[in-house]
Amino acid sequence: MELRRRDYRVERPLLNQEQLEELGSQTSATGTLQWRTWFQCSHARARALLLQYFPVLAWLPQYPVRDWLLGDLLSGLSVAIMQLPQGLAYALLAGLPPVFGLYSSFYPVFIYFLFGTSRHISVGTFAVMSVMVGSVTESLAPDEAFLQALNSTVNVTARDAARVQAASTLSVLVGLFQVGLGLVHFGFVVTYLSEPLVRAYTTAASVQVFVSQLKYVFGLHLSSRSGPLSLIYTVLEVCWKLPQTVVGTMVTAVVAGVVLLLVKLLNDKLRRQLPMPLPGELLTLIGATGISYGVGLQHRFGVDVVGKIPARLLPPVAPSPQLFARLVGNAFAIAVVGFAIAISLGKIFALRHGYRVDSNQELVALGLSNLIGGIFQCFPVSCSMSRSLVQESTGGNTQVAGAISSLFILIIIVKLGELFQDLPKAVLAAAIIVNLKGMLMQFTDICSLWKANRVDLLIWLVTFVATILLNLDLGLAVAVVFSLLLVVVRTQLPHYSVLGQVPDTDIYRDVAEYSEAREVPGVKVFRSSATVYFANAELYSDTLKQKCGVNVDHLISQKKKLLRKQELKLKRLQKENKLPKQAAASKGTSISINVNTSVIDIESNDVEGSKAKVSTGTELEGIAASGQEDAKAPDMSSLKTLGLPQPDFHSLILDLSSLSFVDTVCLKSLKNIFRDFREIEVEVYMAACHSPVVTQLEAGHFFDASITKQHLFASVHDAVIFALQHPRSSPVNPVLVTKL
């Protein structure tokens, strides 16, 4: 489509930094001392703090009962129906007795109802968190540590007690980390976990979950392993012990898995017709429990069952301080992963429904859920995507739905839990594996990232492989470090360009990308796509000299050599003639030559090299014969006089619009650029600097007598016009009105 040409006439003065500050009346920002407000006490501030840390007090009094209560009630019931089987299954995944999954579906959910800011996420047990907890509990309390001497069987009671203590202590530590990070407003820490990293990590965790459930599917007794390559060893052991498979257990798992898949497919097909999804997991658990009790699967076919489920709540128990040192690393990793999953889901629902989620308060809410839950012997929790989608789709509007679901779970714990004692563990394993479908489908990210962004694909693959090989905690650390290093590497290799003017505009674009963009005669405009700092400052300088088409360093070196030769020649001639100083002065003729006196001067950051004056009389015929008979001799240090090639441009403009900060290395590099290009008779200007960067330049004492704010212009176009009006000259007051 052809653009309609319109003639615009804009007149304004050329503005360098000094004039811009004067025209805009810039004042130094008076930093408000935020810490002073922390100690101010008033009724309004107390109320604001109370509503900030107890969000339920803000929205619950305004809760529209008639409009939302029915939807929240149905949503809470639907989520509770899912919480029951998932709580039992994910406790098994964490290496704990199933009843502790019900506890973890009650206490944290109710705490989040009081402190959370998301209306739709369903807090509770989650597969990734459970498998991370399971790797910790199995490493701290392996089966081998509880073998009984008489018959070499595992003391299950003692093992489970040790694992519960480790898991609850871990939950307390996770809560402390999350609450602490939330109170110091460290919610942004999750931004270091990019989406490809999180998706790859959850995909690898789902593979870990799948492998960990194979022993329940085949009825095998495997060794407890943790640490690097533990997943590989577990797969090899499963393959080695496949001949020992309990047929009844495998058949139970396969039948339960097929039923669950059929119900899920039916839900997907009838999604629009059904008011709420069919509770396939709950129906499967009830049916499997009835069949197991009626047929006697445990006694007749050797199928492992859940066992005794106490119909009561456990009293609070203090965490074990002796385990803190061994759990602190895993606790931090679980805290970050749990928060990353929760805040990503929370923001998705917040955008969809038009409200705001406070990331710092979410950290506090999750932290308190884990902290208080750990005291009541729960394991760390986060939020589940499947339950959150059900909570939203069945009419849930607020966390009242979560509170209702937790009350249903409480009823199940106190009255109905003991009915599931004959539930086969293979059915729970089948439910876990079927629920992994969504996360395992994330393998398709490989194809999409290959087409969209291969750097993100590299992050995805490294995260996945590291998590599979090194386990969940070390894998996460490697993934974060690799992604941050990749960011540093990408800033070290930015796109450098020489800019040209788009015809009839004041817009400047890369001449290599825009065929109509033309370089302004006598002016070079250079831009980097990334900020200049210690990691890429040298590359910036080298690329600048290369793009300018002039071998700056070689030209300076040749100039120094020729000036040194002239200096030595003058000294030799003066020595041969042996003229007294008085005679030389009486002749009244002198020659002024600019010479850099030492290598130290060459390497210094001073813009002006040191100068030496050598005087001689008219007896120096060799120099007098060259036509220098005037009282004022020409500059013998110029490139033209020395017979050196001159650059085809007289001004260099550095577009610094991409600078977000400057460090000492950047300051030195910019000063060296000024010095080097002035040595080859090219004046340097800067343009489009942001105010914070200008402030940092001032703080770093960048501006001095040779580099002033008159070298810094508001835009590239201003700098170009000034350079054309003042070729190879130092800045003076620019023309006030210019046609742009």
Side-chain angles (χ1 to χ4, degrees), residues 53-56 59 111-119 361-362 365-366 399:
Y53 291 108
F54 291 89
V56 67
W59 60 265
I111 298 300
Y112 185 83
F113 160 73
L114 299 175
F115 297 97
T117 60
S118 175
R119 301 178 188 172
Q361 181 59 26
E362 284 295 292
L366 274 178
Q399 280 301 324

Side-chain angles (χ1 to χ4, degrees), residues 224-274:
S224 298
R225 288 188 172 87
S226 61
L229 301 180
S230 59
L231 183 70
I232 308 300
Y233 292 135
T234 302
V235 172
L236 293 176
E237 188 176 2
V238 168
C239 296
W240 181 260
K241 291 186 175 181
L242 274 180
Q244 303 174 18
T245 299
V246 179
V247 178
T249 301
M250 186 179 68
V251 171
T252 302
V254 171
V255 171
V258 170
V259 171
L260 288 169
L261 279 176
L262 290 176
V263 173
K264 283 187 176 292
L265 292 175
L266 188 62
N267 281 331
D268 292 339
K269 189 172 184 180
L270 303 177
R271 180 173 50 190
R272 296 182 179 178
Q273 287 77 17
L274 295 173

Side-chain angles (χ1 to χ4, degrees), residues 500-514:
Q501 185 182 20
V502 178
D504 300 327
T505 70
D506 61 350
I507 299 173
Y508 293 79
R509 290 294 182 265
D510 187 356
V511 295
E513 296 177 358
Y514 291 79

Side-chain angles (χ1 to χ4, degrees), residues 419-431:
L419 299 178
F420 293 96
Q421 293 182 4
D422 291 310
L423 175 64
K425 291 183 179 179
V427 176
L428 294 177

Side-chain angles (χ1 to χ4, degrees), residues 14 16 522-523 650-652 681-685 710-711 713 718-736 738:
L14 290 181
N16 58 36
V523 179
H650 54 75
S651 299
L652 170 66
E681 302 168 12
V682 173
E683 187 55 59
V684 183
Y685 304 99
Q710 294 183 5
H711 290 90
F713 288 86
D718 287 0
V720 169
I721 294 176
F722 182 84
L724 291 175
Q725 292 176 345
H726 305 82
R728 299 171 69 173
S729 66
S730 57
V732 295
N733 291 327
V735 178
L736 294 180
T738 305

Side-chain angles (χ1 to χ4, degrees), residues 440-478:
L440 291 175
M441 289 296 293
Q442 292 177 157
F443 277 110
T444 57
D445 290 353
I446 296 176
C447 297
S448 59
L449 290 176
W450 175 264
K451 299 175 182 177
N453 192 320
R454 296 184 184 179
V455 175
D456 283 346
L457 174 62
L458 183 61
I459 293 175
W460 198 101
L461 293 174
V462 170
T463 302
F464 179 81
V465 173
T467 306
I468 291 293
L469 297 180
L470 302 178
N471 218 343
L472 294 166
D473 48 356
L474 292 177
L476 178 63
V478 170

Side-chain angles (χ1 to χ4, degrees), residues 641-699:
T641 306
L642 295 172
L644 294 174
Q646 294 177 279
D648 59 354
F649 58 97
H650 54 75
S651 299
L652 170 66
I653 298 171
L654 304 178
D655 182 355
L656 302 182
S657 57
S658 63
L659 256 65
S660 57
F661 67 92
V662 292
D663 57 7
T664 55
V665 179
C666 174
L667 292 175
K668 290 182 180 179
S669 296
L670 291 176
K671 283 197 171 188
N672 288 340
I673 290 171
F674 270 83
R675 179 201 64 194
D676 291 345
F677 278 89
R678 284 174 172 176
E679 284 283 345
I680 61 171
E681 302 168 12
V682 173
E683 187 55 59
V684 183
Y685 304 99
M686 301 179 294
C689 238
H690 302 296
S691 295
V693 176
V694 176
T695 303
Q696 294 176 36
L697 291 174
E698 291 176 332

Side-chain angles (χ1 to χ4, degrees), residues 26-322:
Q26 183 186 20
T27 57
S28 58
T30 57
T32 57
L33 299 178
Q34 184 68 28
W35 61 269
R36 289 185 177 178
T37 63
W38 298 345
F39 302 101
Q40 294 177 357
C41 185
S42 65
H43 179 270
R45 177 163 173 76
R47 185 176 183 276
L49 285 175
L50 185 65
L51 296 181
Q52 178 183 351
Y53 291 108
F54 291 89
V56 67
L57 298 179
W59 60 265
L60 191 58
Q62 304 173 5
Y63 183 78
V65 178
R66 292 185 178 181
D67 297 333
W68 286 1
L69 182 59
L70 181 59
D72 283 338
L73 185 62
L74 293 175
S75 177
L77 178 60
S78 303
V79 171
I81 291 173
M82 294 184 68
Q83 284 268 31
L84 172 61
Q86 289 186 3
L88 296 172
Y90 292 154
L92 205 65
L93 188 59
L96 304 174
V99 68
F100 289 93
L102 297 181
Y103 297 152
S104 300
S105 301
F106 168 61
Y107 290 106
V109 177
F110 193 78
I111 298 300
Y112 185 83
F113 160 73
L114 299 175
F115 297 97
T117 60
S118 175
R119 301 178 188 172
H120 295 90
I121 66 173
S122 174
V123 173
T125 56
F126 183 52
V128 175
M129 301 287 287
S130 298
V131 75
M132 295 179 77
V133 174
S135 66
V136 176
T137 56
E138 291 182 2
S139 63
L140 292 180
D143 291 341
E144 292 78 7
F146 297 92
L147 292 176
Q148 296 177 341
L150 296 177
N151 51 9
S152 298
T153 58
V154 178
N155 187 345
V156 176
T157 304
R159 182 202 64 185
D160 288 348
R163 290 184 176 180
V164 168
Q165 185 183 42
S168 60
T169 303
L170 180 65
S171 183
V172 170
L173 274 178
V174 169
L176 288 174
F177 273 123
Q178 290 177 332
V179 171
L181 292 175
L183 290 177
V184 297
H185 290 199
F186 223 68
F188 68 88
V189 70
V190 75
T191 58
Y192 293 105
L193 303 180
S194 64
E195 184 181 358
L197 188 150
V198 172
R199 291 178 67 87
Y201 186 78
T202 53
T203 305
S206 66
V207 175
Q208 296 258 16
V209 172
F210 177 81
V211 172
S212 68
Q213 295 307 294
L214 293 179
K215 62 180 179 181
Y216 298 111
V217 171
F218 296 108
L220 303 175
H221 295 282
L222 305 178
S223 303
S224 298
R225 288 188 172 87
S226 61
L229 301 180
S230 59
L231 183 70
I232 308 300
Y233 292 135
T234 302
V235 172
L236 293 176
E237 188 176 2
V238 168
C239 296
W240 181 260
K241 291 186 175 181
L242 274 180
Q244 303 174 18
T245 299
V246 179
V247 178
T249 301
M250 186 179 68
V251 171
T252 302
V254 171
V255 171
V258 170
V259 171
L260 288 169
L261 279 176
L262 290 176
V263 173
K264 283 187 176 292
L265 292 175
L266 188 62
N267 281 331
D268 292 339
K269 189 172 184 180
L270 303 177
R271 180 173 50 190
R272 296 182 179 178
Q273 287 77 17
L274 295 173
M276 59 179 291
L278 295 175
E281 294 173 338
L282 180 62
L283 295 176
T284 303
L285 261 62
I286 294 174
T289 303
I291 294 172
S292 174
Y293 177 77
V295 178
L297 293 180
Q298 183 181 18
H299 302 292
R300 294 181 59 184
F301 301 100
V303 178
D304 286 339
V305 297
V306 168
K308 185 178 179 181
I309 298 178
R312 60 187 175 87
L313 294 174
L314 297 179
V317 176
S320 175
Q322 293 82 5

